[in-house]
Amino acid sequence: MLVTVLGFYGGYPYKGIGTSGYLLQNDGKNMLIDCGSGVLNALSNYMQPTDLDAVILSHYHHDHTADVGVLQYNWLAAKKESPLPIYGHTQDFVNFAQLTEPNATKGIAYNDYEPTEIGTLKFEFLRTVHPVPAYAMRITDKTGKVIVYTADTTYFDGLVDFSKDADLLIADTNFPEDVTGRKWHLNTKEAGTLAKDANVKRLMISHLPQTVDVETMLSQTQKYAEQIPVVNAFQGLEMEI
Ligand SMILES: [Zn+2]
Ligand SMILES: [Zn+2]
């Protein structure tokens, strides 16, 4: 599996860099995980967006879905024979319905009680703790390699089991360690500790804040991740799993 970061800011784009979007390529298939603001623009540097085989959305907050509408226009204009599948949860029927655009895209439901096969990958989902329904993803390829994406979430114990022994953990790390208490994202201490407790091979911190310098976020996370290597998401970062 090859992951390319197309956008990594939490909440809103900043200085030409978009919000959450990750291109996942495996076995000749091109998949997009989340489709935030600026992601379609970034994707077009790598391929025609009409070369996508699937989109998988963690939840319906704008910083994860802002470019879905323009992606649908792109597919409409291309007059492709079959629609682009967009996978989403059905805990919000209004937003799920919008994943289907006639002659462009088709919404497909996933759930957290059975895996979803997309290409040759197995996607498992776990409901996170967030103001709206959101789902973390555990993605396993046919060789057994695993990527876990936390999506947006506050810390909860279930994340450790769900992330266990992953080859790559992509963690929503929106706050420095001194931001504690009630919040809807992980801080650096929680992301680093999660990586260590789950014994993952590598951690990528993402959904980063615009207002805290990345070196601080990285060094704080590394302190708690101990021996687990930590990288910060940046535009164009490619990780081969
Ligand atoms: Zn978000
Ligand atoms: Zn969110």
Side-chain angles (χ1 to χ4, degrees):
M1 292 183 279
L2 176 66
V3 178
T4 304
V5 175
L6 301 177
F8 61 82
Y9 277 125
Y12 54 93
Y14 188 63
K15 295 187 176 178
I17 310 290
T19 61
S20 295
Y22 309 91
L23 175 61
L24 172 61
Q25 294 173 288
N26 174 254
D27 248 1
K29 300 284 188 201
N30 303 314
M31 288 151 280
L32 179 63
I33 297 176
D34 282 341
C35 189
S37 174
V39 166
L40 195 65
N41 206 10
L43 177 65
S44 66
N45 291 322
Y46 297 91
M47 65 181 63
Q48 291 300 325
T50 48
D51 290 334
L52 283 175
D53 295 289
V55 177
I56 305 98
L57 300 176
S58 62
H59 66 305
Y60 304 124
H61 271 155
H62 296 302
D63 56 326
H64 299 255
T65 62
D67 276 5
V68 169
V70 286
L71 176 61
Q72 290 172 324
Y73 290 162
N74 198 156
W75 274 67
L76 264 180
K79 297 185 167 42
K80 299 270 286 189
E81 250 171 50
S82 46
L84 171 66
I86 304 183
Y87 293 80
H89 69 71
T90 54
Q91 302 302 304
D92 172 343
F93 283 113
V94 174
N95 277 301
F96 179 73
Q98 291 178 355
L99 305 184
T100 297
E101 173 77 32
N103 305 312
T105 62
K106 180 173 170 42
I108 299 178
Y110 64 68
N111 59 60
D112 56 4
Y113 54 84
E114 60 188 351
T116 298
E117 307 286 338
I118 304 175
T120 58
L121 299 178
K122 178 175 77 169
F123 280 71
E124 295 166 285
F125 297 91
L126 176 73
R127 175 89 179 250
T128 71
V129 180
H130 202 52
V132 298
Y135 288 83
M137 305 175 196
R138 185 179 175 97
I139 307 158
T140 308
D141 75 8
K142 62 187 181 189
T143 70
K145 296 278 189 186
V146 172
I147 296 172
V148 171
Y149 171 46
T150 66
D152 284 10
T153 186
T154 191
Y155 184 83
F156 65 103
D157 287 341
L159 287 170
V160 176
D161 264 357
F162 192 71
S163 307
K164 207 76 190 168
D165 299 326
D167 295 278
L168 174 66
L169 172 65
I170 303 174
D172 163 14
T173 313
N174 202 224
F175 298 118
E177 63 182 321
D178 59 351
V179 177
T180 57
R182 186 177 170 83
K183 55 186 170 47
W184 298 114
H185 303 277
L186 306 181
N187 66 23
T188 50
K189 179 179 180 179
E190 291 163 332
T193 304
L194 170 61
K196 178 167 64 79
D197 291 350
N199 191 38
V200 305
K201 295 201 176 54
R202 283 185 285 177
L203 167 64
M204 182 201 300
I205 57 171
S206 194
H207 206 280
L208 294 170
Q210 295 82 354
T211 50
V212 182
D213 88 83
V214 74
E215 293 309 323
T216 301
M217 297 294 288
L218 190 58
S219 64
Q220 286 184 4
T221 310
Q222 188 66 71
K223 181 174 61 181
Y224 293 104
E226 296 182 0
Q227 79 285 1
I228 312 285
V230 185
V231 295
N232 60 282
F234 57 85
Q235 197 76 354
L237 169 63
E238 295 183 358
M239 294 190 84
E240 178 90 51
I241 310 303

